[in-house]
Amino acid sequence: MATDGFGTLHLPATPAEIAGMEPSWSDCTVNVIITLVAVILFVINLKDYLRQLPALSGCLFRARPNVSLEHSIHSSTERNLTALTLSLPFLLMVDRFGLYRPSFIDTLEPQWTIASRAAVLAAFVIIRWLISLLRPSKLNGDESAAAVNVLFTSFIPLVTVMLASLGTMLIFRVPDDSIRIVLLAETAAFYLAFLLVSGRIMALRCSALQTFLYLCALDIIPAALIVASGMML
């Protein structure tokens, strides 16, 4: 009969069904706008990015190229601008795949989660800069700048690898949980490489003990605080 099913409730009847209808990450207007801005800025910076990439890749494991980079104001400025440009796609990946997800972020509205993660990233950079003011007296000039800014130098190849791997995984429809594990593993690997070259830069002027203590204060402790906060339940 044509009236079969008339009067039947077709809306979700259980909390689980209702939860399954929650908007996806891409349904958030703020996320879409930030993604468009990130693409536009990347295109604008593309020429400088491609020109810097070979030299920056050579800085991943060697100290001297990092010091030479700081000696050139033009090159170091371009590096800083490129790192700033790539911070947006990095934050988008962190937010979309929950690479950093402390409990307080879960309480925020979707349009505020990227901003909160950006604030944490900015705090990390500021804390490192403040700690860098306590550097050993022997570490000065280009070596001092390299020890601080090697973070930005390593950040650019990291985001490059993350974007390339993410694009590949999306093409092959890899599950989100697997994507998250891969991106976290890449971040950890690059951070270890960053710590290695950072220590080598410090060792150019400092003793082994000074290098260890300054490396812990500048790079290990701030990162440990970020990791610990991200694991808060």
Side-chain angles (χ1 to χ4, degrees):
M1 295 178 60
T3 57
D4 287 349
F6 180 76
T8 302
L9 180 63
H10 295 286
L11 293 174
T14 65
E17 290 175 339
I18 296 174
M21 297 179 63
E22 292 180 355
S24 65
W25 185 88
S26 58
D27 289 331
C28 179
T29 304
V30 173
N31 295 340
V32 174
I33 293 174
I34 295 177
T35 301
L36 291 175
V37 171
V39 171
I40 292 171
L41 292 178
F42 182 78
V43 171
I44 293 174
N45 186 250
L46 183 59
K47 183 178 179 181
D48 292 341
Y49 163 77
L50 293 176
R51 183 172 59 251
Q52 296 174 75
L53 195 56
L56 296 180
S57 299
C59 293
L60 281 175
F61 300 102
R62 295 182 295 164
R64 291 296 182 185
N66 284 278
V67 177
S68 298
L69 176 63
E70 299 303 326
H71 189 68
S72 170
I73 297 178
H74 177 73
S75 296
S76 59
T77 301
E78 278 192 345
R79 184 270 318 282
N80 293 343
L81 290 175
T82 299
L84 183 61
T85 298
L86 291 180
S87 64
L88 276 184
F90 178 76
L91 287 168
L92 287 167
M93 288 186 285
V94 170
D95 190 69
R96 169 63 180 80
F97 298 101
L99 305 187
Y100 174 75
R101 50 184 185 189
S103 57
F104 76 87
I105 288 183
D106 293 334
T107 65
L108 301 176
E109 294 296 325
Q111 63 267 27
W112 294 107
T113 57
I114 289 183
S116 64
R117 290 180 166 102
V120 173
L121 180 63
F124 172 73
V125 173
I126 292 172
I127 289 172
R128 285 189 76 253
W129 177 77
L130 291 175
I131 294 174
S132 72
L133 300 178
L134 304 176
R135 65 183 180 272
S137 58
K138 293 181 179 179
L139 189 66
N140 50 45
D142 293 336
E143 286 82 3
S144 175
V148 176
N149 295 330
V150 64
L151 175 68
F152 308 132
T153 303
S154 302
F155 179 73
I156 296 172
L158 165 62
V159 178
T160 300
V161 171
M162 292 177 72
L163 289 173
S165 63
L166 174 59
T168 302
M169 288 186 287
L170 290 178
I171 290 174
F172 289 98
R173 300 182 181 276
V174 176
D176 284 2
D177 287 343
S178 298
I179 292 177
R180 179 174 182 269
I181 291 172
V182 171
L183 295 180
L184 284 173
E186 290 171 347
T187 303
F190 270 84
Y191 201 81
L192 288 175
F194 151 72
L195 289 178
L196 177 64
V197 72
S198 180
R200 288 177 174 175
I201 294 170
M202 298 173 191
L204 293 175
R205 291 294 186 90
C206 301
S207 66
L209 179 59
Q210 287 177 321
T211 296
F212 174 75
L213 294 176
Y214 190 48
L215 185 66
C216 287
L218 184 65
D219 297 322
I220 296 178
I221 293 178
L225 292 175
I226 295 295
V227 173
S229 66
M231 297 174 65
M232 291 174 58
L233 300 178

